[in-house]
Amino acid sequence: MNEYALIMRHEDGSKIASPEQMQVWMKQTMDWIGTIAAQNKFVGGTGLPFDGASVVGHNSVVTNGPFGDIKETIGGLITVRAESLEEAIEFAKGCPVLQGEGNTVEVRRIAKNDGTH
């Protein structure tokens, strides 16, 4: 069984949701994670706040904020155990972040410490 990162991307991280909407999304997210955990396939995860972030680029150029020159941001990620990429994709399809137009969930297999990556 492999582990996969489900990376939640927001098309425009500069948009700020109301506290009420954030509360709804957090409950939906915790319920989604709960369904994965109930299958003993949840490994861990975290949100990534937009404030207090910087981007370090080539020649040590530092840009304030997580945005750099683009609007898209990574809002968080979870790690899951799955039998296949297809199973990990099915988990990703249930992510509440997909309710936002233009938002995506990137699914990436996590390299093992087996000397092949």
Side-chain angles (χ1 to χ4, degrees), residues 9-85:
R9 296 183 179 275
H10 300 269
E11 182 178 57
D12 187 350
S14 66
K15 292 181 183 175
I16 305 297
S18 70
E20 296 79 16
Q21 186 60 55
M22 287 298 297
Q23 189 173 13
V24 169
W25 287 335
M26 285 306 300
K27 174 154 182 5
Q28 291 173 340
T29 299
M30 296 313 294
D31 289 348
W32 170 63
I33 290 171
T35 63
I36 297 169
Q39 299 172 59
N40 199 29
K41 302 260 177 131
F42 177 73
V43 176
T46 189
L48 299 170
F50 299 142
D51 59 332
S54 294
V55 176
V56 179
H58 183 71
N59 291 329
S60 298
V61 174
V62 178
T63 305
N64 291 329
F67 312 118
D69 293 332
I70 60 172
K71 287 186 183 181
E72 182 187 73
T73 60
I74 297 173
L77 63 94
I78 68 167
T79 303
V80 299
R81 280 186 289 277
E83 297 291 337
S84 64
L85 174 62

